[in-house]
Amino acid sequence: MGKTSQLPGFYKLSPEERLRVVKEFAGLTDGEMEILRSTGSLELEQADRMVENVIGTTELPLGIAVNFLINGRDYLIPMAIEEPSVVAAASNAARMARAKGGFRTSSTEPIMIGQIQLTGVRDPSGAKEAILSNKEKIIRIANEQDPMLVKLGGGAKDLEVRVLDTPSGPMAIVHLLVDTRDAMGANVINTMAEAVAPFIERVTGGRVYLRIVSNLADLRLARAEAIFAKEALGGGEVVDGIIRAYEFAASDPYRCATHNKGIMNGIVAIALATGNDTRALEAGAHAFAATKGKYKPLTTWEKTPEGDLLGRIELPMAVGIIGGATAAHPVAKVCLKILGVKTARELGEVMASVGLAQNLAAIRALAAEGIQRGHMSLHARNIAIMAGAEGELIDEVAERLVRERRIRVDRAKEILQELAEGSE
């Protein structure tokens, strides 16, 4: 039997036992096991080379979401996040998706956009024509900056020109379209945009200011869909409740912001684990959600003719498996090995699937039982620790807090005091 991400009782295992399961699944070496075991896997000297003014490092819990079946293949999903219930919620939604075949995904080519801002042109339409008539030359200059990327099948592929009316006059905005292959691509795009700017100035007589990547990567999309059986969700009423929750988000930006935040809980957790740029992903996703003139959900939910629930997600996914922190951070390298993804597109599709699962789990909880039940039981453990509980007392105090529905530090301290007095 092949390896599976269906791991009943995985959450009941100790961290060391879970790590051994992941080792077998992903073929980790003893050295990679030690990287995951150790606190402070990122050495100070290494961190000092990654960012400026380093004084130390910080850590987040690294969990594994299980049960994910994506395009017929099993995945274990590493997620770095501080928020309780996210990993468990994703795992539970993935379990429900398996009954109907799991997640099915697709994606576009990894095309990123580099923007060159041309100002001071009296005839913006003429400037646009001059740029487009020199398109091949501009693309050639761009590709001279990274012959290796071109050799791998990537590089600048095309360009577009948009004319904008602004308070300071018309601007011609050049979009350099670059296939970044398995890199996120910001650095190479910025380099290419810098290189072509002088030539664009010469052929138009204008002045270039900004030359930078756009984080609205709407040509680099990842999509996922899944069907969730009504029986797995809790019945037809729950399906209807989930659709009503989606319609609420589609009609109200205040709700929609939280709807989309829940999606990004899963996506950003994987991005952190794999060393990808979380800020770029967040910016791109929320900008994409508003591209049609109104801020909208990144997911859609509808009922199938059989009464089951069909969910779909589509969003920009500017991620990489080479370069940046993915190459420099030891834990990120191990997390990519656990995922077993071979391309950046595959990573993006996995992340889209997790985002869809996360959204399903959140709106099902809201529609069926309220968000507090699962989320607060885990939050109560953190409150118990904050109050000073240790060992078995953590669970005992947390259970009391949840039972009483009074999840506060002051109450946790009172419970600890009561337990201490009772043991005397």
Side-chain angles (χ1 to χ4, degrees):
M1 182 179 175
K3 58 187 181 181
T4 178
S5 63
Q6 235 179 337
L7 301 170
F10 187 72
Y11 69 98
K12 296 179 181 177
L13 303 177
S14 69
E16 184 62 30
E17 289 169 330
R18 293 184 203 126
L19 190 51
R20 284 199 291 270
V21 171
V22 173
K23 177 185 181 182
E24 184 175 346
F25 182 94
L28 301 184
T29 66
D30 290 341
E32 289 164 337
M33 290 274 283
E34 284 305 315
I35 287 173
L36 295 177
R37 279 195 192 99
S38 64
T39 57
S41 297
L42 182 63
E43 297 293 336
L44 201 60
E45 184 179 352
Q46 195 170 20
D48 194 38
R49 294 192 179 98
M50 293 175 68
V51 300
E52 302 78 25
N53 301 342
V54 165
I55 61 166
T57 61
T58 186
E59 292 186 271
L60 289 172
L62 179 64
I64 293 288
V66 299
N67 299 323
F68 275 87
L69 182 66
I70 303 172
N71 298 328
R73 179 185 162 193
D74 278 274
Y75 291 82
L76 292 181
I77 312 293
M79 303 174 72
I81 191 165
E82 87 296 341
E83 184 173 334
S85 80
V86 169
V87 178
S91 300
N92 190 40
R95 178 185 58 78
M96 290 188 285
R98 291 184 79 98
K100 294 287 185 176
F103 299 87
R104 296 164 298 282
T105 68
S106 63
S107 59
T108 61
E109 293 293 326
I111 302 294
M112 297 290 287
I113 299 168
Q115 293 190 296
I116 299 102
Q117 176 199 23
L118 183 67
T119 67
V121 286
R122 294 180 180 178
D123 178 11
S125 296
K128 177 178 178 178
E129 182 60 34
I131 293 166
L132 291 175
S133 65
N134 284 278
K135 179 169 74 171
E136 298 305 320
K137 172 68 172 175
I138 293 169
I139 289 174
R140 186 163 66 252
I141 294 170
N143 283 333
E144 287 170 355
Q145 311 311 306
D146 198 331
M148 182 56 69
L149 178 61
V150 175
K151 186 177 179 181
L152 293 171
K157 300 295 185 181
D158 203 353
L159 63 80
E160 302 168 341
V161 184
R162 299 160 56 231
V163 175
L164 301 182
D165 289 322
T166 78
S168 61
M171 298 179 186
I173 309 301
V174 181
H175 279 193
L176 189 63
L177 309 185
V178 183
D179 183 334
T180 60
R181 295 286 85 195
D182 289 325
M184 184 273 186
N187 289 333
V188 67
I189 285 174
N190 292 342
T191 300
M192 288 182 173
E194 294 270 0
V196 302
F199 180 77
I200 290 173
E201 288 181 328
R202 283 201 303 274
V203 298
T204 62
R207 180 176 178 184
V208 169
Y209 278 92
L210 270 61
R211 306 168 287 271
I212 192 167
V213 68
S214 171
N215 288 128
L216 177 52
D218 61 355
L219 300 177
R220 189 176 188 174
L221 301 175
R223 308 180 185 96
E225 66 175 48
I227 295 174
F228 300 85
K230 58 180 180 292
E231 296 82 6
L233 293 168
E237 286 189 14
V238 176
V239 171
D240 290 339
I242 290 170
I243 292 173
R244 298 295 89 78
Y246 158 67
E247 291 172 345
F248 178 15
S251 304
D252 179 42
Y254 293 92
R255 170 59 203 151
C256 191
T258 310
H259 179 102
N260 286 342
K261 184 266 182 185
I263 293 167
M264 299 310 292
N265 275 347
I267 291 170
V268 167
I270 304 172
L272 278 171
T274 58
N276 273 282
D277 188 339
T278 60
R279 289 87 51 209
L281 287 166
E282 287 275 10
H286 293 296
F288 184 72
T291 50
K292 294 181 181 177
K294 184 180 178 182
Y295 185 69
K296 289 288 188 179
L298 295 163
T299 54
T300 60
W301 296 95
E302 62 186 74
K303 189 187 295 187
T304 69
E306 297 75 27
D308 297 323
L309 184 69
L310 170 61
R312 295 189 177 96
I313 188 171
E314 179 183 61
L315 75 168
M317 202 59 75
V319 295
I321 62 171
I322 60 173
T326 58
H329 200 299
V331 175
K333 289 193 252 186
V334 178
C335 286
L336 283 171
K337 184 172 181 178
I338 292 170
L339 278 167
V341 294
K342 305 302 182 189
T343 65
R345 286 180 66 175
E346 184 185 359
L347 175 59
E349 291 172 12
V350 168
M351 292 168 78
S353 299
V354 175
L356 183 63
Q358 208 74 58
N359 187 222
L360 181 278
I363 56 178
R364 176 178 177 266
L366 286 166
E369 59 192 32
I371 200 69
Q372 297 296 79
R373 183 175 170 184
H375 185 82
M376 287 298 109
S377 63
L378 291 167
H379 179 56
R381 289 172 53 85
N382 289 337
I383 295 297
I385 293 169
M386 288 171 62
E390 297 179 353
E392 294 179 358
L393 283 176
I394 295 173
D395 289 328
E396 191 170 350
V397 172
E399 287 170 9
R400 289 265 305 264
L401 292 171
V402 172
R403 191 164 60 246
E404 296 175 3
R405 296 181 178 272
R406 297 169 63 193
I407 305 175
R408 306 193 313 263
V409 174
D410 61 332
R411 179 54 187 150
K413 289 180 177 178
E414 291 173 359
I415 295 171
L416 274 175
Q417 183 64 32
E418 292 168 11
L419 293 171
E421 291 171 355
S423 64
E424 291 177 354

